[in-house]
């Protein structure tokens, strides 16, 4: 998609339920996770031609990149994160979890990965150097913890749940929940805007909740923006002050990307 012009440039085909996508600028490589395809496709960033494939990753899902270590992390299967060399795509082993990982976030100035594990009803804390879970934080009085965002400078982790629909705020030094707030239903993505001290919570019921961070432990609903039915996946790009939301085809409405200007 050409974001400036607001138009689709081209499409790639041959995937089986594609989920996560990660671009690695240093090597100009695109990593694409296919859930039903149980694989990662590694493609050239310019031509989009397939370079190689990593097989055997059932339910391959979210992907994150550790730029300092040049490693790619992929959530997959019934409870694992696969570590890949970002240059070669070679597998460097799995980190075992108690269930299938949903959204996860990497510290930049620390070794930890915070992982939503909905089936275990906890957030797993992984030490990247050890390649193992070093703590788990309970998702108390809620289930279906799917989206996550990290405010590393403010020492806060944001987790969205669906049952009930809540935003939970964790202190990443203690693992304790310091705030909770009702949000829209069926959330699947959320983002922290550090410059504006806001959270954007994308909810599949057809809305974006904009939440104000008054201070690290206090939050309030600032406003709500309507989107489209079942539109729950998005991308926040602070560099061009845009929030993009993917809206699936419904009825006579075609599939489209909704672009929102951040003010």
């Amino acid at each position: 998609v050409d974001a400036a012009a607001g138009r689709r440039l081209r499409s790639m085909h041959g995937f089986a339920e594609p989920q996560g996508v990660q671009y690695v600028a240093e090597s100009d490589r695109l990593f694409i996770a296919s859930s039903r395809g149980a694989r990662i496709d590694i493609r050239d960033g310019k031509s989009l031609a397939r370079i190689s494939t990593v097989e055997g990753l059932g339910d391959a899902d979210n992907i994150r990149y550790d730029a300092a270590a040049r490693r790619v992390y992929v959530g997959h299967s019934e409870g694992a994160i696969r570590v890949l060399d970002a240059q070669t795509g070679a597998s460097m082993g799995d980190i075992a979890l108690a269930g299938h990982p949903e959204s996860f976030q990497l510290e930049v100035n620390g070794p930890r990965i915070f992982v939503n594990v909905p089936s275990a009803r906890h957030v797993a804390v992984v030490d990247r150097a050890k390649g193992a879970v070093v703590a788990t934080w309970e998702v108390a009085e809620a289930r279906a913890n799917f989206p996550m965002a990290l405010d590393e400078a403010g020492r806060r982790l944001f987790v969205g749940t669906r049952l009930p629909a809540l935003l939970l705020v964790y202190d990443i030094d203690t693992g304790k929940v310091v705030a909770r707030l009702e949000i829209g239903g069926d959330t699947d993505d959320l983002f922290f805007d550090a410059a504006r001290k806001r959270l954007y919570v994308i909810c599949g019921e057809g809305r974006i909740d904009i939440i104000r961070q008054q201070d690290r432990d206090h939050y309030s609903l600032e406003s709500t923006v309507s989107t489209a039915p079942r539109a729950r996946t998005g991308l926040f790009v602070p560099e061009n002050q845009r929030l993009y939301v993917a809206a699936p085809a419904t009825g006579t409405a075609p599939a489209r990307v909704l672009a929102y200007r951040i003010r």
Side-chain angles (χ1 to χ4, degrees):
V1 174
D2 184 324
R7 63 186 180 91
R8 183 180 66 85
L9 293 176
R10 59 183 295 191
S11 296
M12 290 179 284
H13 301 276
F15 305 98
E17 196 179 348
Q19 295 283 346
V21 177
Q22 178 67 57
Y23 176 65
V24 177
E26 292 86 348
S27 57
D28 194 26
R29 295 289 184 266
L30 190 63
F31 291 73
I32 305 169
S34 287
S35 177
R36 285 192 293 108
R39 70 177 194 269
I40 300 292
D41 286 289
I42 303 173
R43 298 200 172 209
D44 180 80
K46 292 184 177 64
S47 68
L48 304 182
R50 183 182 286 112
I51 295 170
S52 62
T53 302
V54 181
E55 303 281 357
L57 299 178
D59 201 9
D61 200 340
N62 284 280
I63 307 179
R64 301 289 184 265
Y65 177 50
D66 182 344
R70 295 195 174 184
R71 293 180 178 180
V72 171
Y73 294 84
V74 185
H76 71 97
S77 303
E78 293 302 314
I81 292 178
R82 175 65 57 87
V83 186
L84 302 175
D85 184 299
Q87 297 294 111
T88 66
S91 292
M92 303 175 69
D94 277 340
I95 300 169
L97 301 166
H100 178 73
E102 290 296 334
S103 183
F104 59 93
Q105 300 295 328
L106 281 65
E107 283 184 316
V108 174
N109 298 306
R112 294 181 296 179
I113 309 175
F114 305 102
V115 189
N116 269 332
V117 187
S119 62
R121 297 183 64 178
H122 68 220
V123 174
V125 182
V126 170
D127 185 307
R128 300 202 291 275
K130 297 178 180 178
V133 174
V134 293
T136 57
W137 300 339
E138 182 185 8
V139 179
E141 300 177 9
R143 292 185 290 122
N145 49 312
F146 284 85
M148 175 188 287
L150 175 63
D151 173 15
E152 187 173 347
R155 317 303 292 169
R156 294 295 179 263
L157 182 74
F158 309 104
V159 171
T161 68
R162 297 180 184 173
L163 298 168
L166 294 172
L167 173 71
L168 303 178
V169 183
Y170 288 81
D171 182 323
I172 65 171
D173 296 313
T174 67
K176 303 298 183 183
V177 173
V178 297
R180 62 179 63 217
L181 189 74
E182 291 184 0
I183 58 174
D186 196 28
T187 182
D188 201 52
D189 257 341
L190 70 90
F191 303 93
F192 178 64
D193 184 343
R196 296 172 180 81
K197 301 300 180 184
R198 285 176 179 163
L199 288 153
Y200 307 119
V201 186
I202 302 175
C203 306
E205 71 172 51
R207 73 192 224 193
I208 303 166
D209 286 345
I210 302 172
I211 295 173
R212 170 72 61 184
Q213 183 187 56
Q214 297 165 335
D215 59 46
R216 295 194 305 167
D217 296 341
H218 297 89
Y219 300 79
S220 61
L221 180 65
E222 182 176 293
S223 62
T224 295
V225 177
S226 296
T227 55
R230 297 191 295 112
R232 64 185 194 181
T233 301
L235 176 66
F236 174 50
V237 184
E239 292 82 3
N240 68 358
Q241 302 181 59
R242 294 291 188 276
L243 177 66
Y244 300 97
V245 178
T250 55
T252 58
R256 59 206 188 279
V257 175
L258 308 175
Y260 296 88
R261 180 182 294 110
I262 305 299
R263 296 176 178 173

CSV table of all heavy atoms in Angstrom, one decimal, residues 186-206:
chain,number,residue,atom,x,y,z
A,186,ASP,N,-14.3,-7.0,21.8
A,186,ASP,CA,-13.6,-7.7,20.8
A,186,ASP,C,-12.3,-6.9,20.3
A,186,ASP,O,-12.0,-6.8,19.2
A,186,ASP,CB,-14.5,-7.9,19.5
A,186,ASP,CG,-14.0,-8.9,18.6
A,186,ASP,OD1,-13.3,-9.8,19.0
A,186,ASP,OD2,-14.3,-8.8,17.4
A,187,THR,N,-11.5,-6.5,21.3
A,187,THR,CA,-10.3,-5.8,21.0
A,187,THR,C,-9.2,-6.8,20.5
A,187,THR,O,-9.1,-7.9,21.0
A,187,THR,CB,-9.8,-5.0,22.2
A,187,THR,OG1,-8.6,-4.3,21.8
A,187,THR,CG2,-9.4,-5.9,23.4
A,188,ASP,N,-8.4,-6.3,19.5
A,188,ASP,CA,-7.3,-7.2,19.0
A,188,ASP,C,-6.0,-6.5,18.8
A,188,ASP,O,-5.0,-7.1,18.6
A,188,ASP,CB,-7.8,-7.8,17.7
A,188,ASP,CG,-7.0,-9.1,17.4
A,188,ASP,OD1,-6.9,-10.0,18.2
A,188,ASP,OD2,-6.5,-9.2,16.3
A,189,ASP,N,-6.0,-5.1,18.8
A,189,ASP,CA,-4.8,-4.4,18.7
A,189,ASP,C,-4.9,-3.1,19.6
A,189,ASP,O,-6.0,-2.5,19.7
A,189,ASP,CB,-4.6,-3.9,17.2
A,189,ASP,CG,-3.6,-4.7,16.5
A,189,ASP,OD1,-2.8,-5.4,17.2
A,189,ASP,OD2,-3.5,-4.7,15.3
A,190,LEU,N,-3.8,-2.8,20.2
A,190,LEU,CA,-3.7,-1.5,20.9
A,190,LEU,C,-2.3,-0.9,20.8
A,190,LEU,O,-1.3,-1.7,20.7
A,190,LEU,CB,-4.2,-1.6,22.4
A,190,LEU,CG,-3.4,-2.4,23.4
A,190,LEU,CD1,-2.4,-1.5,24.1
A,190,LEU,CD2,-4.3,-3.0,24.4
A,191,PHE,N,-2.2,0.4,20.9
A,191,PHE,CA,-1.0,1.1,20.6
A,191,PHE,C,-0.8,2.2,21.6
A,191,PHE,O,-1.8,2.9,22.0
A,191,PHE,CB,-0.9,1.6,19.2
A,191,PHE,CG,-1.1,0.6,18.2
A,191,PHE,CD1,-2.3,0.3,17.6
A,191,PHE,CD2,0.0,-0.2,17.7
A,191,PHE,CE1,-2.5,-0.7,16.7
A,191,PHE,CE2,-0.1,-1.2,16.8
A,191,PHE,CZ,-1.4,-1.4,16.2
A,192,PHE,N,0.4,2.4,22.1
A,192,PHE,CA,0.7,3.5,23.0
A,192,PHE,C,1.4,4.7,22.2
A,192,PHE,O,2.4,4.4,21.5
A,192,PHE,CB,1.6,3.1,24.1
A,192,PHE,CG,2.0,4.2,25.1
A,192,PHE,CD1,1.0,4.8,25.8
A,192,PHE,CD2,3.3,4.6,25.2
A,192,PHE,CE1,1.4,5.8,26.7
A,192,PHE,CE2,3.7,5.6,26.1
A,192,PHE,CZ,2.7,6.2,26.8
A,193,ASP,N,0.9,5.9,22.3
A,193,ASP,CA,1.4,7.0,21.6
A,193,ASP,C,2.2,7.8,22.7
A,193,ASP,O,1.6,8.6,23.5
A,193,ASP,CB,0.3,7.9,21.1
A,193,ASP,CG,0.7,9.1,20.3
A,193,ASP,OD1,1.9,9.5,20.4
A,193,ASP,OD2,-0.1,9.7,19.5
A,194,ALA,N,3.5,7.6,22.7
A,194,ALA,CA,4.3,8.2,23.8
A,194,ALA,C,4.3,9.7,23.7
A,194,ALA,O,4.4,10.4,24.8
A,194,ALA,CB,5.7,7.7,23.7
A,195,ALA,N,4.3,10.3,22.5
A,195,ALA,CA,4.3,11.7,22.4
A,195,ALA,C,3.1,12.4,23.0
A,195,ALA,O,3.2,13.5,23.5
A,195,ALA,CB,4.5,12.1,20.9
A,196,ARG,N,2.0,11.8,22.8
A,196,ARG,CA,0.7,12.4,23.2
A,196,ARG,C,0.1,11.8,24.5
A,196,ARG,O,-0.9,12.2,25.0
A,196,ARG,CB,-0.3,12.3,22.1
A,196,ARG,CG,0.1,13.1,20.9
A,196,ARG,CD,-0.9,12.8,19.7
A,196,ARG,NE,-0.5,13.6,18.5
A,196,ARG,CZ,0.5,13.2,17.7
A,196,ARG,NH1,1.1,12.0,17.9
A,196,ARG,NH2,0.8,13.9,16.6
A,197,LYS,N,0.8,10.8,25.1
A,197,LYS,CA,0.4,10.1,26.3
A,197,LYS,C,-1.1,9.6,26.1
A,197,LYS,O,-2.0,9.8,26.9
A,197,LYS,CB,0.4,11.0,27.5
A,197,LYS,CG,1.8,11.5,27.8
A,197,LYS,CD,2.8,10.4,28.0
A,197,LYS,CE,4.2,10.9,28.3
A,197,LYS,NZ,5.2,9.8,28.5
A,198,ARG,N,-1.2,8.8,25.0
A,198,ARG,CA,-2.5,8.2,24.7
A,198,ARG,C,-2.4,6.8,24.3
A,198,ARG,O,-1.3,6.3,23.9
A,198,ARG,CB,-3.1,8.9,23.4
A,198,ARG,CG,-3.7,10.3,23.6
A,198,ARG,CD,-4.2,10.7,22.2
A,198,ARG,NE,-4.8,12.0,22.2
A,198,ARG,CZ,-4.9,12.7,21.1
A,198,ARG,NH1,-4.5,12.2,19.9
A,198,ARG,NH2,-5.5,13.9,21.1
A,199,LEU,N,-3.5,6.1,24.5
A,199,LEU,CA,-3.6,4.7,24.0
A,199,LEU,C,-4.7,4.6,22.9
A,199,LEU,O,-5.8,5.3,23.1
A,199,LEU,CB,-3.9,3.7,25.1
A,199,LEU,CG,-2.8,3.5,26.1
A,199,LEU,CD1,-3.4,3.1,27.5
A,199,LEU,CD2,-1.9,2.3,25.6
A,200,TYR,N,-4.5,3.9,21.9
A,200,TYR,CA,-5.5,3.7,20.8
A,200,TYR,C,-5.9,2.2,20.9
A,200,TYR,O,-5.0,1.3,20.6
A,200,TYR,CB,-4.9,4.1,19.4
A,200,TYR,CG,-4.4,5.5,19.4
A,200,TYR,CD1,-3.0,5.7,19.1
A,200,TYR,CD2,-5.1,6.6,19.7
A,200,TYR,CE1,-2.5,7.0,19.1
A,200,TYR,CE2,-4.6,7.9,19.7
A,200,TYR,CZ,-3.3,8.0,19.4
A,200,TYR,OH,-2.8,9.3,19.4
A,201,VAL,N,-7.1,1.9,21.3
A,201,VAL,CA,-7.6,0.5,21.4
A,201,VAL,C,-8.5,0.2,20.3
A,201,VAL,O,-9.6,0.8,20.2
A,201,VAL,CB,-8.3,0.3,22.8
A,201,VAL,CG1,-8.6,-1.1,23.0
A,201,VAL,CG2,-7.4,0.8,23.9
A,202,ILE,N,-8.1,-0.7,19.4
A,202,ILE,CA,-9.0,-1.0,18.2
A,202,ILE,C,-9.9,-2.2,18.6
A,202,ILE,O,-9.4,-3.2,19.0
A,202,ILE,CB,-8.1,-1.4,17.0
A,202,ILE,CG1,-7.2,-0.2,16.7
A,202,ILE,CG2,-9.0,-1.7,15.8
A,202,ILE,CD1,-6.2,-0.5,15.6
A,203,CYS,N,-11.2,-1.9,18.5
A,203,CYS,CA,-12.2,-2.9,19.0
A,203,CYS,C,-13.0,-3.4,17.8
A,203,CYS,O,-13.5,-2.6,17.0
A,203,CYS,CB,-13.1,-2.2,20.0
A,203,CYS,SG,-12.2,-1.5,21.4
A,204,GLY,N,-13.2,-4.7,17.7
A,204,GLY,CA,-13.9,-5.3,16.6
A,204,GLY,C,-15.4,-5.0,16.6
A,204,GLY,O,-16.1,-5.3,15.6
A,205,GLU,N,-15.9,-4.4,17.7
A,205,GLU,CA,-17.3,-4.1,17.7
A,205,GLU,C,-17.6,-2.8,16.8
A,205,GLU,O,-18.7,-2.4,16.5
A,205,GLU,CB,-17.9,-3.8,19.1
A,205,GLU,CG,-17.4,-2.5,19.7
A,205,GLU,CD,-18.1,-2.2,21.0
A,205,GLU,OE1,-18.2,-3.1,21.9
A,205,GLU,OE2,-18.6,-1.1,21.2
A,206,GLY,N,-16.5,-2.2,16.3
A,206,GLY,CA,-16.6,-1.1,15.3
A,206,GLY,C,-16.2,0.2,15.9
A,206,GLY,O,-16.8,1.2,15.5
